[in-house]
Amino acid sequence: MTTPTVGRRGPATPESLDPDRDYPRMVGDRGLVEPSPRRVRGYFDDALVFDTTRALYVWEIAYYPQYYIPVSDVRMEHLQDENHARSCSSVPRGYIR
């Protein structure tokens, strides 16, 4: 019998196997990537910048997951490229933080 996994790393815990869970686990290993079960929207002033149901939770550090958003769900006219390097190599191309 194999251990079920969640995201890309680590064994599933009783907390992560709960299908009704709509929040990230309390602590994830650095580099863990999981789909977010929530709709995520971001605004700047009154302008909608992104709206997605395909966000990812990414643990760049163990205790605080970040949201990564698919570029296709972002209204790019509201962003300015500052030439920052990607900080987490486990995030698929086509997502931004």
Side-chain angles (χ1 to χ4, degrees):
M1 183 166 152
T2 61
T3 304
T5 58
V6 173
R8 293 189 174 188
R9 295 186 183 178
T13 63
E15 173 185 278
S16 67
L17 294 174
D18 179 3
D20 297 324
R21 184 174 61 102
D22 68 346
Y23 53 89
R25 68 174 82 197
M26 294 302 290
V27 177
D29 293 331
R30 185 177 182 164
L32 176 70
V33 177
E34 289 186 318
S36 170
R38 297 180 177 183
R39 180 180 186 183
V40 181
R41 288 179 273 186
Y43 291 87
F44 181 74
D45 288 333
D46 291 328
L48 179 67
V49 178
F50 62 86
D51 184 358
T52 188
T53 57
R54 300 180 301 138
L56 299 175
Y57 291 132
V58 179
W59 278 261
E60 293 179 353
I61 59 174
Y63 297 104
Y64 303 101
Q66 303 289 315
Y67 279 112
Y68 273 63
I69 308 299
V71 172
S72 60
D73 293 340
V74 176
R75 296 176 61 195
M76 299 302 284
E77 66 269 17
H78 297 293
L79 301 181
Q80 178 179 354
D81 184 6
E82 294 181 347
N83 296 317
H84 289 281
R86 289 171 39 141
S87 60
C88 186
S89 61
S90 59
V91 176
R93 294 227 176 261
Y95 280 78
I96 60 176
R97 170 170 62 132

